[in-house]
Amino acid sequence: MDGMVEENGTSGGAGVADPLANASSSAGASTPHVVTSIVQLTLPAQAPSAQVQSVIQPNQQSVIQTASNIQSVQLPKGNVILVSKPSSVIHTTQGTLQTLQIKPEPNTLVSTQGQSCSDESCSDDESPKRKYREMLTRRPSYRKILNDLGGAEIAENRMGSKPGCENEVSLSSPLSFAPVIPAGALQTESGLHTLAVSGAAGGGAIVQYATNQDGQFYVPEDQTRKRELRLLKNREAARECRRKKKEYIKCLENRVAVLENQNKALIEELKSLKELYCQQKTE
DNA sequence: GATTGGGAGCGTCATTTGCG
DNA sequence: CGCAAATGACGCTCCCAATC
């Protein structure tokens, strides 16, 4: 899967869709998400009517996005940045849009829940600790991320690229644990004993075994088959999960690079605007 | 060549998540 | 709600580079 994710955040044809790509694609001609990000810039209050010639040419792709179907909302305080959530690396427990409110006070916490929360203004229910915990809720699974972005079918195609892998299931290898004894073992109503055993690679497992006429211990056939099948499936699942995790990390790394570039461009743009503004002011 | 430390990958178990 | 899949955590092995 080398080169699956291209620099501009779009995914390669045969690869899995970059779960994070849409948020970073500034052109976005083919993306279903019209709005990738909305940034409201507030001009200095001293010069509300300043005429500023944009350094952004009409046909030039700007890193600052606008969207015709989005209405700007006047907010009483501070600047508001709306971030489309689905592709954001920031995950919250609610809503499609996140509102990040930026306040100048140094001790203010930035909340992703739609409101800021300074240390002293929070009630017990809304304590910073609680909010922090909420922010740390488990990240959605890779499967969910793909589903949200409509990439499920791609994932399925990938699965399809290994046709018949289930048929390769082999139940031939025997279990390796020894039927060591009943000290502390429990006997069930079905006559099976339940015993905790240690696996070869740490951890443990609960197995059931029975005794034959000679009092020897054995594990019922279908019990071992079930266990083997479960282990085999889980082995495959773990492998797949690791692959997806690596892919996900690649995507994140790619996104970092894209955002760093965007940040650079924004800084440059801001610099140019500032220069223009100062020029016109002195004239 | 022997030793050592770190990284990558694997198998398994326990737990969480998602779906019917 | 139950079940299967997905994922985190843990321990193990293998490989490779650095050091002695």
Side-chain angles (χ1 to χ4, degrees), chain A residues 47 59 104 115 121 124 156 189 191 229 235-236 240 247 260:
Chain A
N59 58 351
Q115 53 183 189
S121 66
D124 289 341
E156 280 171 16
E189 288 179 6
L229 188 58
R235 202 177 302 144
E236 291 288 326
E240 180 68 5
E247 225 164 62
E260 278 175 350

Side-chain angles (χ1 to χ4, degrees), chain A residues 17 21 42 51 80 114 127 135 204 207 217 226 234 238 244-245 282:
Chain A
T42 306
Q51 297 284 316
V80 170
S127 70
M135 288 164 66
V207 298
F217 302 103
K226 272 184 189 173
N234 189 239
K244 276 191 277 184
K245 189 176 183 179
T282 53

Side-chain angles (χ1 to χ4, degrees), chain A residues 9-247:
Chain A
T10 58
S11 62
V16 163
D18 178 357
L20 304 169
N22 291 333
S24 59
S25 57
S26 55
S30 61
T31 173
H33 301 287
V34 177
V35 181
T36 56
S37 65
I38 308 161
V39 178
Q40 178 175 332
L41 297 177
T42 306
L43 287 170
Q46 302 93 307
S49 61
Q51 297 284 316
V52 177
Q53 183 190 359
S54 175
V55 291
I56 306 167
Q57 300 306 312
N59 58 351
Q60 183 184 351
Q61 287 177 5
S62 169
V63 289
I64 298 178
Q65 302 282 309
T66 60
S68 56
N69 58 339
I70 295 295
Q71 249 187 323
S72 71
V73 177
Q74 204 67 32
L75 290 150
K77 288 180 180 177
N79 304 323
V80 170
I81 301 170
L82 297 174
V83 183
S84 65
K85 190 190 170 193
S87 337
S88 173
V89 291
I90 303 172
H91 295 284
T92 63
T93 54
Q94 66 176 20
T96 306
L97 290 176
Q98 292 174 346
T99 306
L100 304 182
Q101 186 160 10
I102 301 168
K103 281 191 167 185
E105 291 84 4
N107 291 332
T108 301
L109 296 176
V110 174
S111 166
T112 58
Q113 304 286 333
Q115 53 183 189
S116 64
C117 177
S118 61
D119 288 348
E120 64 275 9
S121 66
C122 291
S123 66
D124 289 341
D125 290 348
E126 298 288 315
S127 70
K129 273 186 183 176
R130 183 187 166 86
K131 282 186 166 291
Y132 185 62
R133 264 206 312 276
E134 284 173 2
M135 288 164 66
L136 291 180
T137 52
R138 193 182 171 111
R139 177 188 57 73
S141 69
Y142 307 122
R143 180 173 56 174
K144 175 126 177 67
I145 292 171
L146 281 176
N147 282 344
D148 286 349
L149 293 169
E153 64 215 35
I154 299 173
E156 280 171 16
N157 287 342
R158 173 186 297 276
M159 291 298 283
S161 70
K162 296 190 294 178
C165 63
E166 276 188 56
N167 295 335
E168 293 168 10
V169 168
S170 161
L171 300 177
S172 59
S173 62
L175 285 181
S176 58
F177 59 82
V180 208
I181 72 337
L186 302 172
Q187 185 163 11
T188 65
E189 288 179 6
S190 62
L192 292 175
H193 299 276
T194 300
L195 180 68
V197 297
S198 299
I206 300 297
V207 298
Q208 288 189 317
Y209 63 93
T211 51
N212 62 17
Q213 293 171 340
D214 300 330
Q216 291 177 322
F217 302 103
Y218 70 95
V219 179
E221 183 74 7
D222 77 317
Q223 185 81 22
T224 62
R225 288 177 68 87
K226 272 184 189 173
R227 179 184 152 80
E228 286 243 21
L229 188 58
R230 183 170 49 79
L231 289 183
L232 206 127
K233 277 186 176 178
N234 189 239
R235 202 177 302 144
E236 291 288 326
R239 214 171 284 155
E240 180 68 5
C241 187
R242 286 183 181 118
R243 187 190 59 74
K244 276 191 277 184
K245 189 176 183 179
K246 275 176 75 177
E247 225 164 62

